[in-house]
Amino acid sequence: MHHFAVLWVMWTVVAVGLVGHAVVSTTRDRRILRSVVDLALEGRNAEALDHPLPSRRTRPLVRLVQAGCAVRTGRYAVALALLRPYGSHVRGTGPGDPDVVRGSALVALGRYPEAASLIGDQPTMPALRRLRAAAATEVGDDALAEELLAAPDAGELDEAGRLRLLADLRLRRGRLGEARDLAERARALYARVQHPGVDVDEAWCSVLLSKVALAEDRTQEALALAEQGLSGLRRRPDNAPGLAEAHGVAAEVAAAVGRPAAAQDHLRQAHAQAVRCASPALDAELARAAAQVSLRLGHPAEARRWLLDAARRHDDLGARPAAESLRRQLASLDA
């Protein structure tokens, strides 16, 4: 998981943090704030983004909710623009904190040093700890990621998110049995929580488990898990980043089970979703997925082009572990 839609459910709890702390001067402002929050809770992100704004006094709160909606749908540049004039004037204590929204956008864009500078190395808020761990994982600072994810979180949603990120770290470092156990535990926790948006995080655990099964060469199981995950993610059709990466995973699985047409179709769908996000990190991940598809389908020249492209993209982001893994595949291909 490359953290493009970091914890979808994070934004569905924004109402408590924002409305509870809101100081609004008019009935109209209260009505607008409540309307935008309700749209966010219902997953109607486009409507929330297009909603008329309240007076200047309440506008920072509404802009913050809208920025969360933008992150959820992969419109990361829009999220940062929404926060720019207003974010410093609003402080929260949870998912409604502008640093969580801004940090999510920066991590998803692959701007890991900026995210690290914003959050610091010892954040106390669980959402910020996960974001900082995600950035550390991408650049290969495993010691910091492990430290940030070591202690269990009290809330079930926070704990599920911690387990999910830890599973991803284990998968990337080849500790497949641990990754599978952690992802299954995270999925079970998500399944127990009754909360708007948690279905996306639960579905993503199936995609993560599909990646583990594929790495263990359990291809039919990987196929079933990828299809299960995609089915869940499609319930939120504006989740462009999650759908893009999930289609990339499904493309690799389809190639592994000998379905070249399905693999190419999944890649096309992945790129169609990624265009909406304009994320260099997502583009790098899909280049990596295309390389794996070409390798599995027995197209070495095409695979070499994609491996070179994916390695360059990851290098540009400072994502050293992924770049080094791709260069090892190149060396094996050229041997």
Side-chain angles (χ1 to χ4, degrees):
M1 182 188 66
H2 281 245
H3 321 295
F4 304 119
V6 180
L7 294 181
W8 174 283
V9 77
M10 187 182 292
W11 312 121
T12 67
V13 296
V14 76
V16 175
L18 294 182
V19 175
H21 292 86
V23 178
V24 291
S25 56
T26 68
T27 300
R28 177 180 179 274
D29 281 357
R30 286 193 294 272
R31 186 173 64 249
I32 290 175
L33 178 59
R34 171 52 66 184
S35 177
V36 173
V37 167
D38 285 346
L39 290 170
L41 289 170
E42 294 167 14
R44 295 160 62 185
N45 298 290
E47 292 177 64
L49 284 166
D50 291 337
H51 200 283
L53 294 173
S55 68
R56 183 168 296 275
R57 183 178 182 185
T58 311
R59 196 167 299 173
L61 292 170
V62 172
R63 285 298 199 194
L64 182 52
V65 180
Q66 291 176 323
C69 291
V71 166
R72 290 170 67 175
T73 58
R75 298 170 66 182
Y76 305 118
V78 171
L80 293 175
L82 285 167
L83 289 172
R84 192 170 298 123
Y86 300 112
S88 61
H89 303 299
V90 183
R91 294 255 61 87
T93 57
D97 190 284
D99 284 350
V100 177
V101 185
R102 188 178 286 107
S104 295
L106 291 172
V107 170
L109 287 167
R111 292 160 60 176
Y112 309 123
E114 290 179 66
S117 178
L118 172 74
I119 298 169
D121 288 348
Q122 298 295 326
T124 57
M125 192 190 306
L128 289 176
R129 281 203 304 274
R130 292 194 297 274
L131 286 170
R132 185 65 186 92
T137 297
E138 296 292 350
V139 301
D141 191 350
D142 289 8
L144 179 58
E146 293 280 1
E147 178 185 343
L148 290 165
L149 297 174
D153 284 308
E156 285 187 323
L157 279 176
D158 285 327
E159 177 62 2
R162 184 189 74 88
L163 293 171
R164 189 175 113 184
L165 286 178
L166 203 52
D168 179 61
L169 176 59
R170 296 285 187 270
L171 170 61
R172 290 174 189 238
R173 306 306 179 246
R175 296 160 65 175
L176 302 180
E178 293 176 50
R180 182 173 60 253
D181 176 64
L182 288 162
E184 287 174 346
R185 287 166 58 193
R187 186 170 62 170
L189 266 181
Y190 282 129
R192 280 169 34 188
V193 177
Q194 297 297 315
H195 202 288
V198 76
D199 54 321
V200 172
D201 292 300
E202 183 181 349
W204 185 256
C205 287
S206 295
V207 177
L208 183 56
L209 285 164
S210 175
K211 296 172 76 171
V212 175
L214 184 61
E216 294 178 325
D217 204 30
R218 294 181 287 111
T219 54
Q220 290 302 319
E221 184 179 348
L223 180 64
L225 286 163
E227 290 175 347
Q228 182 182 22
L230 263 175
S231 176
L233 290 169
R234 287 191 182 107
R235 297 173 193 160
R236 306 280 181 167
D238 60 354
N239 179 14
L243 285 168
E245 192 178 0
H247 275 296
V249 173
E252 293 185 53
V253 175
V257 299
R259 299 183 182 178
Q264 294 301 329
D265 183 60
H266 279 300
L267 281 179
R268 282 192 293 271
Q269 293 188 64
H271 285 290
Q273 294 287 348
V275 166
R276 305 178 185 180
C277 304
S279 164
L282 181 53
D283 293 340
E285 169 58 17
L286 294 185
R288 188 209 61 79
Q292 306 315 306
V293 168
S294 297
L295 284 169
R296 289 183 179 277
L297 294 180
H299 305 313
E302 183 178 285
R304 190 176 191 282
R305 288 195 297 273
W306 279 116
L307 286 168
L308 284 167
D309 182 49
R312 176 187 60 78
R313 289 176 183 273
H314 282 92
D315 272 328
D316 289 346
L317 295 167
R320 291 188 300 275
E324 289 168 2
S325 175
L326 290 160
R327 281 193 289 269
R328 285 194 295 271
Q329 286 188 301
L330 266 170
S332 176
L333 193 62
D334 291 340

